[in-house]
């Protein structure tokens, strides 16, 4: 068979560069088009991946018509996820949507309705899904190493979304500060804020660790930084039938976890009926304690192997074999997590505990 034909649509999220790099380096894939209403946002990708001028578009329908893609990677601002999916799904193209799933539960249902009507396949990419420690933690949970998972403690984030571009290229403190007023990341209407950006990570992987179980109610609080209309710090407490879990998001960590773990450390601690697992971003071991061996011991992380190392190769693998996307990429699981995110956002606004939204 020929190479998989891939287009990148909407470059508002800097992860587009990372995903296109994966497509560019995949031996059986080809970037056949990029599309954004702003040519400037595409400039780095066009240069980095030597994309010919004839493959650069500003109109989505024209891009799909001429490029004839097998897969569209979508990286719009959070508030535009539903619009973008509806547009591309109606054109009959399978979709890899960069996190978060949606800006709201209503938008999530619009997304599900659009792909259901068109018959295209949708995968939602959460980069933490591909971190070896978290994959290892899930394997150990599934093997029963800590019994039934009953608590998930999540703390994650970074210095802020304006401190880095694609491929984690850093920018200065001053440049990041200057960018806030004009950035969609800091726009309430565009779906900005650390809660909407990062809580989905904790809610989605936490639901994965708990094999799809949903909480009963959620209590959340966010900070109110002076001069900003969105939060940079949120804490959500989820009450399950068997106990409490805590999901915390932070823009403004002391360091970025991919260069040096801050304190608190970014990642997860999962508590089970028979033990615990600590799974921190980028670390080479997970920490495990059990009733039989209560002293915490380090378990080396699994070596991820193709086609389960990265989102693009995994999605192409599933397409080639007609497989369903599973785990955090599964839109059904993502909807459960979106219920948590929406309930948390509403709880923070109303400053009260709320039953999980249906």
């Amino acid at each position: 068979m020929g190479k998989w034909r891939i287009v990148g649509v909407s470059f508002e999220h800097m992860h587009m560069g990372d995903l296109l790099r994966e497509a560019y380096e995949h031996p059986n894939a080809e970037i056949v088009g990029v599309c954004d209403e702003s040519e400037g946002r595409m400039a780095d990708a066009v240069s980095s991946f030597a994309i010919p001028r004839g493959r650069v578009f500003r109109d989505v329908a024209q891009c799909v018509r001429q490029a004839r893609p097998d897969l569209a990677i979508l990286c719009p601002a959070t508030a535009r996820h539903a619009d973008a999916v509806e547009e591309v799904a109606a054109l009959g193209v399978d979709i890899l949507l960069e996190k978060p799933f949606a800006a709201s539960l209503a938008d999530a249902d619009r997304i599900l309705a659009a792909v259901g009507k068109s018959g295209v396949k949708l995968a939602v990419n959460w980069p933490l899904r591909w971190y070896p420690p978290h994959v290892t933690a899930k394997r150990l949970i599934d093997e029963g190493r800590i019994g039934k998972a009953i608590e998930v403690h999540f703390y994650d984030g970074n210095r802020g979304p304006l401190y880095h571009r694609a491929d984690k290229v850093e920018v200065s403190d001053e440049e990041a500060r200057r960018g806030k007023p004009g950035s969609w990341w800091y726009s309430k209407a565009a779906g900005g804020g650390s809660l909407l950006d990062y809580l989905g990570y904790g809610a989605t992987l936490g639901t994965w660790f708990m094999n799809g179980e949903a909480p009963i109610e959620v209590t959340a609080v966010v900070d109110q930084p002076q001069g900003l209309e969105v939060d940079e710090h949120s804490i959500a407490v989820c009450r399950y039938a068997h106990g409490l879990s805590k999901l915390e998001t932070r823009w403004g960590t002391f360091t970025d976890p991919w260069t040096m773990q801050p304190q608190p450390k970014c990642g997860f601690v999962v508590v089970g009926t028979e033990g615990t697992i600590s799974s921190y971003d980028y670390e080479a071991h997970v920490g495990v304690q059990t009733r039989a061996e209560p002293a915490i011991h380090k378990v080396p992380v699994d070596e991820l192997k193709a086609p389960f190392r990265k989102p693009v190769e995994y999605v192409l693998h599933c397409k080639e074999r007609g497989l369903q996307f599973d785990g955090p990429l599964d839109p059904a699981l993502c909807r459960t997590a979106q219920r948590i995110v929406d309930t948390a956002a509403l709880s923070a606004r109303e400053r009260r505990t709320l039953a999980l939204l249906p």
Side-chain angles (χ1 to χ4, degrees):
M1 60 176 292
K3 290 188 175 183
W4 292 104
R5 301 172 63 83
I6 295 177
V7 296
V9 177
S10 188
F11 283 64
E12 291 173 295
H13 197 302
M14 84 286 288
H15 287 182
M16 177 63 89
D18 304 319
L19 293 168
L20 286 181
R21 179 168 298 283
E22 187 189 343
Y24 181 74
E25 294 175 350
H26 193 292
N28 293 320
E30 178 184 12
I31 300 171
V32 294
V34 291
C35 182
D36 193 284
E37 61 185 15
S38 167
E39 291 199 13
R41 283 198 290 253
M42 297 184 283
D44 285 348
V46 169
S47 174
S48 296
F49 310 124
I51 299 173
R53 179 64 197 172
R55 294 187 175 187
V56 179
F57 303 90
R58 297 181 65 181
D59 179 79
V60 176
Q62 182 185 14
C63 174
V64 169
R65 185 170 58 250
Q66 292 186 211
R68 297 177 289 105
D70 300 302
L71 178 71
I73 298 171
L74 304 188
C75 291
T78 303
R80 295 201 318 104
H81 278 205
D83 290 341
V85 170
E86 286 175 339
E87 183 174 23
V88 173
L91 297 169
V93 182
D94 289 346
I95 295 168
L96 174 60
L97 175 67
E98 183 63 0
K99 67 89 190 169
F101 185 23
S104 67
L105 191 56
D107 279 4
D109 286 339
R110 285 175 55 196
I111 289 171
L112 293 173
V115 298
K117 179 180 179 180
S118 66
V120 304
K121 294 181 178 180
L122 168 69
V124 183
N125 181 51
W126 300 90
L128 289 188
R129 159 62 179 86
W130 312 104
Y131 286 19
H134 307 327
V135 174
T136 306
K138 174 60 173 171
R139 175 179 63 79
L140 294 173
I141 292 167
D142 288 348
E143 290 175 355
R145 185 74 66 91
I146 61 169
K148 174 180 170 57
I150 57 173
E151 300 174 28
V152 173
H153 300 267
F154 169 76
Y155 178 92
D156 221 314
N158 50 59
R159 288 186 298 155
L162 302 184
Y163 278 89
H164 57 280
R165 301 192 180 101
D167 296 324
K168 298 292 190 291
V169 174
E170 294 191 12
V171 304
S172 67
D173 288 343
E174 178 57 31
E175 186 175 350
R177 282 194 293 269
R178 285 200 312 267
K180 286 184 179 182
S183 170
W184 75 264
W185 294 97
Y186 286 86
S187 165
K188 186 175 182 180
S194 82
L195 187 151
L196 288 181
D197 182 34
Y198 255 87
L199 184 57
Y201 272 130
T204 304
L205 270 75
T207 301
W208 187 42
F209 292 149
M210 288 195 176
N211 292 317
E213 187 171 356
I216 297 167
E217 61 186 24
V218 178
T219 308
V221 62
V222 298
D223 68 347
Q224 295 178 304
Q226 186 175 2
L228 298 180
E229 60 184 48
V230 300
D231 73 279
E232 293 186 305
H233 194 181
S234 78
I235 299 175
V237 177
C238 302
R239 183 173 73 85
Y240 290 79
H242 43 66
L244 303 177
S245 290
K246 179 176 69 69
L247 311 176
E248 185 169 358
T249 72
R250 184 70 170 107
W251 287 350
T253 57
F254 194 71
T255 54
D256 289 317
W258 51 84
T259 55
M260 182 182 298
Q261 271 281 13
Q263 295 188 118
K265 293 173 77 169
C266 291
F268 295 85
V269 175
V270 182
V271 178
T273 55
E274 302 299 324
T276 70
I277 298 174
S278 59
S279 177
Y280 296 113
D281 300 351
Y282 301 99
E283 295 203 345
H285 299 82
V286 297
V288 178
Q289 65 176 171
T290 63
R291 294 194 189 279
E293 191 175 355
I296 298 173
H297 60 284
K298 293 182 177 180
V299 175
V301 300
D302 296 346
E303 179 186 356
L304 305 191
K305 297 181 179 180
F308 304 104
R309 301 171 301 176
K310 302 174 183 178
V312 172
E313 72 173 13
Y314 170 76
V315 167
L316 296 182
H317 164 76
C318 290
K319 280 173 60 62
E320 183 176 333
R321 289 162 176 77
L323 303 174
Q324 296 296 315
F325 307 126
D326 65 7
L329 286 86
D330 177 3
L333 186 146
C334 291
R335 188 185 188 278
T336 298
Q338 189 70 47
R339 294 167 65 197
I340 297 173
V341 173
D342 268 40
T343 309
L346 184 58
S347 170
R349 289 196 298 271
E350 297 189 356
R351 302 192 178 191
R352 63 189 181 97
T353 299
L354 296 174
L356 186 70
L357 293 172

